[in-house]
């Protein structure tokens, strides 16, 4: 496959393994990613992970602000195929259909389930028992194109956004390389999606980050895992925003939702709709992420017991 000219489009860490596999096995002639962003309190202009890998391999990088208005200058690299993986902008039909082998997408779900920009987070948050990777031909819709291949994995109870993303990025890179020969020799099948079975994995919003203890404990546990390590969930205690990074399901009976009902050596038991959720790792504004044990060493435990997280 070394003679095939690949234009790769991706941005986050999830896309890096796919790009690295393509560099090993094909001729990547260009990389398209999102523009550099200001990061942190000091607003340091930072390149995305995909750009860093491209530059390390002396591959030309394109960072259009509006792809639909700038795509013609990108196509001068004359790709045989465009491969996308968590790029972040919609592509127009002229761009999609320009290469001989069209545009192929590596999507982190078993389509038609979890179409959209946050399939990993939503799979955990919504209690899916398994997810996977779909290699598909991109069309003008949102993850609605024909399926070429797919492969599933189990979502473990301990999986977080971070761990599941790592597993899926490896699976996606391997499955793509396995699939590309059949695309190039035109022996692969293109299977229409059953659009009646689709679900949408909408992008995570600021509202999604709020952790309500009015919910059942399993949903709370799943939500914290789904947003770890970033953007992370948060709750309000004494008018202070506290980020919550790790929980476990407790066994105490429930009281008033959001009330701190137990102080453990290494956790804070909070009442929710159907029982107890135990906070194991957290971050108070202005301080580093800490274990519950570290946090409890710095507060009056007697005063903490009985307090209620604000609605």
């Amino acid at each position: 496959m070394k003679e095939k000219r690949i234009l790769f489009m991706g941005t986050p860490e999830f896309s890096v393994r796919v790009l690295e596999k393509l560099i090993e096995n094909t001729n990547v002639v260009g990389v398209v990613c999102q523009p550099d962003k200001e990061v942190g309190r000091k607003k340091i202009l930072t390149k995305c992970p995909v750009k860093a890998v491209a530059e390390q391999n002396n591959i030309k990088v394109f960072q259009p602000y509006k792809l639909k208005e700038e795509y013609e200058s990108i196509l001068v690299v004359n790709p045989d195929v465009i491969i996308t993986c968590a790029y972040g902008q919609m592509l127009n039909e002229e761009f999609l259909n320009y290469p001989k082998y069209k545009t192929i997408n590596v999507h982190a779900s078993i389509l038609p389930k979890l179409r959209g920009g946050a399939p990993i987070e939503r799979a955990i948050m919504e209690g899916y028992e398994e997810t996977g990777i779909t290699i598909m031909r991109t069309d003008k819709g949102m993850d609605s194109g024909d399926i070429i291949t797919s492969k599933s994995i189990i979502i473990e109870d301990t999986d977080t956004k971070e761990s599941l993303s790592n597993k899926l990025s490896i699976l996606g890179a391997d499955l793509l390389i396995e699939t590309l020969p059949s695309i190039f020799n035109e022996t692969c099948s293109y299977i229409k999606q059953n659009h009646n079975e689709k679900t949408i994995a909408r992008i995570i919003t600021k509202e999604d980050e709020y952790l309500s203890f009015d919910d059942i404990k399993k949903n709370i546990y799943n939500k914290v895992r789904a947003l770890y390590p970033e953007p992370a969930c948060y709750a309000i205690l004494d008018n202070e925003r506290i980020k919550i990074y790790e929980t476990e399901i407790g066994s105490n009976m429930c009281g008033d939702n959001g009330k701190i009902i137990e102080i453990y050596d290494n956790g804070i038991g909070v009442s929710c709709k159907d029982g107890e959720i135990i906070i194991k790792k957290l971050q108070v504004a202005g301080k580093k992420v800490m274990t519950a044990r570290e946090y409890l060493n710095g507060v009056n435990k007697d005063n903490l017991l009985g307090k209620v997280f604000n609605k």
Side-chain angles (χ1 to χ4, degrees), residues 64-121:
Y65 284 94
K66 294 184 178 180
L67 180 67
K68 291 182 179 180
E69 299 175 5
E70 304 174 55
Y71 72 91
E72 290 181 349
S73 63
I74 297 172
L75 292 177
V76 296
V77 301
N78 192 30
D80 292 308
V81 66
I82 297 169
I83 294 176
T84 63
C85 179
Y87 167 56
Q89 290 190 46
M90 297 295 287
L91 316 183
N92 63 37
E93 284 191 270
E94 185 175 352
F95 186 82
L96 291 173
N97 295 325
Y98 177 85
K100 176 180 178 180
Y101 300 102
K102 311 304 181 188
T103 299
I104 304 301
N105 184 43
V106 181
H107 183 72
S109 80
I110 301 299
L111 294 171
K113 302 295 185 184
L114 298 171
R115 295 178 183 176
I120 297 174
E121 297 95 321

Side-chain angles (χ1 to χ4, degrees), residues 118 121-122 125-126 201-212 223-224 226-227 231-234 241:
E121 297 95 321
R122 296 295 176 188
M125 197 179 296
E126 295 173 18
R202 55 184 177 80
I203 292 290
I204 300 298
T205 65
K206 292 292 185 183
E207 290 73 21
D208 290 319
E209 296 170 25
Y210 175 69
L211 194 64
S212 171
K223 189 172 188 177
V224 172
L227 301 187
C233 293
Y234 75 90
R241 185 185 179 111

